[in-house]
Amino acid sequence: MTDTDTRSQPKKQGLTRRQRRRVSRGAQYAVFVAAVLAFAFSADWGRLQNQFLQLPIAEQMFPDVITLALKNTVLYTLSGFVVGLGLGIVIALMRLSSVAPYRWVAGIYIEIFRGLPALLIFIFVGVGVPLAFPDIQYPGGTYGKVAVALGLVSAAYMAETIRAGIQAVPKGQMEAARSLGFSSARAMISIIIPQAFRIILPPLTNELVLLFKDSSLVLFLGVTLEERELSKFGNDLASTTANSTPILVAGLCYLLVTVPLGFVVRRMESRSQEAIR
């Protein structure tokens, strides 16, 4: 075969970039389907049903799982969020203060309460504070304890979120307010903070979701039957019935709140991105 014949033969071409993407995507789908099938055929569905899907046990939980456990969980979450938001605003402003001791205190608070597990904070609020200050009484009893514990947990994260939101507001807003005769404090409260909250509303809603789940730590404070939240309520019934169905029902009740909140967060984030564009 001569050189001329060799050059005249068509060259073999590899896959194009689009074809390689299609092959890669097809392989990923195949791996996913194989994993799902392996799980479906290897699981003992009969035992899972006996342990987690006993309808008579689930029926016993209603309506108390909604009117008592879910209601308490929502109350604990909202009270902790309110306390955390108020404290977070104060810490954020201290973090931005021109007074150095305020910045030091805020920085130490944020580092400590972001670094400690939430469980230790609950134990500190429920056990440590009453031992150190015997005369102090939490308003609302257990509800007050939970509000303080969840507030301390969330305030450190909210403070950083609020600080970032305040710094994201253009500096010209403060300058314009001062030129109109506003004091720095009044301009911050009336002009800057409202604009900052429009920016940080999605991450604050995420924090609300996290607090809703952290409310399960209430059981470490020692609650009465009427003060139980979802996790405690489900765990007590699971121990009584020797079955895990109550835990599954409690988990579904958590999803009943967290899934819609997650959808709201995604919608707010998409609107914020559209506004930026």
Side-chain angles (χ1 to χ4, degrees):
M1 184 179 293
T2 63
D3 293 341
T4 304
D5 295 334
T6 301
R7 287 193 296 270
S8 64
Q9 291 180 355
K11 295 182 179 179
K12 294 183 180 181
Q13 296 182 351
L15 297 176
T16 63
R17 182 178 299 177
R18 178 176 298 179
Q19 290 173 332
R20 288 197 297 269
R21 285 201 301 265
R22 289 179 179 176
V23 172
S24 175
R25 190 179 299 112
Q28 294 177 38
Y29 277 116
V31 170
F32 174 76
V33 171
V36 171
L37 292 176
F39 172 77
F41 286 106
S42 61
D44 191 337
W45 295 105
R47 295 181 64 183
L48 285 174
Q49 182 178 0
N50 290 333
Q51 187 65 25
F52 289 96
L53 295 174
Q54 291 296 318
L55 292 181
I57 296 177
E59 291 174 354
Q60 296 175 11
M61 301 178 65
F62 291 90
D64 288 346
V65 69
I66 302 296
T67 59
L68 176 67
L70 181 58
K71 181 198 72 174
N72 283 336
T73 302
V74 172
L75 289 176
Y76 292 147
T77 303
L78 292 179
S79 61
F81 184 81
V82 170
V83 173
L85 183 61
L87 183 58
I89 292 174
V90 173
I91 297 298
L93 294 177
M94 291 174 63
R95 187 79 161 164
L96 296 171
S97 174
S98 58
V99 181
Y102 288 168
R103 295 198 304 271
W104 300 338
V105 171
I108 292 172
Y109 176 91
I110 290 172
E111 293 302 325
I112 290 177
F113 283 92
R114 283 199 308 180
L116 288 176
L119 173 59
L120 295 183
I121 297 175
F122 269 80
I123 295 174
F124 169 75
V125 170
V127 180
V129 172
L131 288 176
F133 305 98
D135 296 331
I136 289 182
Q137 297 293 330
Y138 291 100
T142 300
Y143 293 95
K145 290 181 184 179
V146 176
V148 172
L150 288 177
L152 291 175
V153 171
S154 61
Y157 296 94
M158 289 189 189
E160 287 294 87
T161 301
I162 295 169
R163 178 185 63 81
I166 291 173
Q167 291 180 326
V169 177
K171 294 182 179 180
Q173 296 291 321
M174 175 63 77
E175 296 172 356
R178 294 301 303 275
S179 66
L180 294 174
F182 284 73
S183 65
S184 296
R186 185 182 174 190
M188 179 64 70
I189 295 172
S190 303
I191 307 296
I192 305 301
I193 291 181
Q195 293 186 61
F197 267 83
R198 294 178 184 176
I199 300 171
I200 64 175
L201 196 56
L204 284 183
T205 309
N206 270 329
E207 185 62 31
L208 182 63
V209 174
L210 295 176
L211 279 181
F212 188 75
K213 295 185 293 183
D214 284 342
S215 65
S216 61
L217 297 173
V218 170
L219 62 93
F220 291 98
L221 296 179
V223 294
T224 65
L225 293 178
E226 297 299 321
E227 295 171 340
R228 291 178 297 174
E229 41 69 51
L230 283 171
S231 293
K232 176 65 173 173
F233 185 86
N235 186 64
D236 288 348
L237 285 180
S239 300
T240 302
T241 60
N243 190 275
S244 299
T245 299
I247 295 177
L248 177 62
V249 175
L252 293 176
C253 290
Y254 277 106
L255 294 177
L256 188 66
V257 175
T258 57
V259 170
L261 280 177
F263 175 77
V264 170
V265 170
R266 290 191 295 272
R267 290 291 298 172
M268 288 191 297
E269 288 177 345
S270 62
R271 288 184 179 182
S272 298
Q273 292 175 356
E274 290 175 0
I276 294 174
R277 294 173 186 174

